[in-house]
Amino acid sequence: MKNITILGSTGSIGTNALEVIRNKSSEFNVAAMSAHYNHKLLIEQIEEFKPSYVSIGTQNGYEEIVKKYPDLEVYLGNEGLKKLGTLDEADIVLTAVSGAVGIEATIEAIKKEKRIALANKETMVAAGDLINNMLKKYKAEIIPVDSEHSAIYQSLLGGKKDEVNKIIITASGGTFRGKTLEELKDVRVEDALKHPNWSMGKKITIDSSTLCNKGLEVIEAHQLFNVPYDDIEVLVHPQSIIHSMVEFNDMSVIAQLGVPDMKVPIQYAFTYPDRVSNKVLESLDFKTLSSLTFDEVDNEVFKGVEYAYLAGRTGQSMPAVYNAANEIAVDQFINGNIKFLEIYKVIKNTMDNHELHPVNTLEAVIKADSWARKEAARIIKTYVK
Ligand code: NDP
Ligand code: MG
C-alpha cells in the first residue's frame, strides 16, 4: 500500500489523482490532502478518502473542518501546505497546487526524502537550481507528472544520458493556434479558456493559449533532465497524442504516446518503475486517428516560448521572474484588467527591468519571485486606463 499526500486535491490534477486512487484502492491510500478556497469539495473528499491530515487556505474553511472533524489533524495556509510536505506517513507527495506556492512544500518533501510526483511546473522553473542542489544531498526522487515530462522521462529509459541528442517537446498550440496578432488583440478570457484537447485548471489553460505553458515546460525540462537549451526543441502537434520525444545519437527517436489524459502520467509517477492496470485508463485507438501532424511554433505571434528560452538561457533568477510575471499577468487577464497580448508585454518588461542574482537558497527564490510580482503589478498599472 502506498500512502499519498495530495497538495491541491480540489484542482484538475488533484481530482484526476483521486480518480486514479479511487480505482486502485488496494494499492493507494490518501494520507493527506489540501485545498485553498474550496472547502466544500475538500469536505466531500475527506468523507470519501478519510485522510489523517488536511490543510486549507482560508480561516473559515479551517474552522468549519475543525468543527466537523475533531479527530482530524487540520492545518491552515502556506504553513499548513508546508507541513503536509513533511509527514512521515506519506510515501509519495503529489504537488498539484498551481503557481509558485508549491515550492516550499516540495522542498520539505525533498528534505524528508520522499518520492515527489511533480505536477507543479512553476516549482522547477522558479527554484530548479535550488532543488537540483538539494537532490544531490537528499535521497528524494522527482517523478514528473506534466505529460510532456513524463513522456520524456519514459523515453529516456530507452538510452543512456550521454546518448541523448535532443529532446522534442510537443505542444498542442493551444486555443488560438493559427491566429494572427490582429485576431488576438481583443480575445476574451472565455475564448482563452477553451482548450481543444485537455481539461485543466484556469491558469494553465491560459498559459497554453499564450504558449507560456510550453515556455515553462522548456525550462522545466532543462532543470529536470539537465539538457542544454540548444538541445530542447518545441514542436506543435495539435492532436496531443505524442506527448514528447527523445532523439538519441544514433538518430533513433523514442516517443511516448497515449490518449490525452493526465491520469496516465499521474499513475505512472505513483507506480514507477512498475506499470499497473487501472480501469480509469483508456486505450489509444490508432484506427480512429486520422493523422498526426507537426508544425513549427509561430514565434511572431506567440512569444511564450521565445521569452522562456531567453529567461532560461539567462539563468539565475530570470526563470523565476518569467514565471512570477506570467502568474501576475494571467491573473490580471482573467480579472479583465489587461488584454491578452499585454501578457507578453508584462513578462518582457518585467524581465528587462530585472537585476539578475543567483537563486541557490529559498530566500533568493522568494526575493526574485516577490520582486517580479511587484514589478509586474507596477507595469500593469501603467496599462490600465
Ligand atoms: P487547478 O487550478 O485546477 O488546481 C489548483 C489546486 O491548487 C487546487 O486544489 C487549489 O485549491 C490549490 N491552490 C491554488 N492556489 C493555492 C494556494 N495559494 N495555496 C494552496 N493551494 C492552492 O490547477 P491544475 O490542477 O490544472 O494544475 C496544478 C498544477 O499542475 C499547476 O502547476 C499546473 O501547471 C500543473 N499541471 C497541470 C496539468 C493539468 O492537466 N491540469 C497538466 C500539467 C501540469 P482550490 O481548489 O481550493 O482553489
Ligand atoms: Mg504539459
Side-chain angles (χ1 to χ4, degrees), residues 21 41 61 65 72-73 82 94 99 118 132 138 166 170 180 213 234 252 255 258 266 291 320 327 334 344 368:
I21 293 170
L41 180 56
I65 294 173
L72 183 65
E73 198 81 44
K82 217 169 121 180
L94 170 64
L118 187 71
N132 280 329
Y138 298 98
K166 66 175 172 187
T170 53
T180 61
N213 179 52
V234 176
S252 271
I266 291 169
S291 61
E327 278 191 37
I334 292 174
Y344 299 130

Side-chain angles (χ1 to χ4, degrees), residues 369-383:
D369 180 86
S370 333
W371 176 86
R373 280 166 204 274
K374 276 200 209 105
E375 181 63 8
R378 187 194 66 76
I379 290 168
I380 288 168
K381 279 213 184 102
T382 67
Y383 300 165

Side-chain angles (χ1 to χ4, degrees), residues 121 146-149 198 200 204 213-214 217 220 262:
K121 62 194 77 188
D146 207 346
S147 58
E148 294 75 4
H149 305 78
W198 297 94
M200 312 178 284
I204 182 174
N213 179 52
K214 214 44 58 180
E217 289 181 356
E220 186 188 8
M262 290 308 296

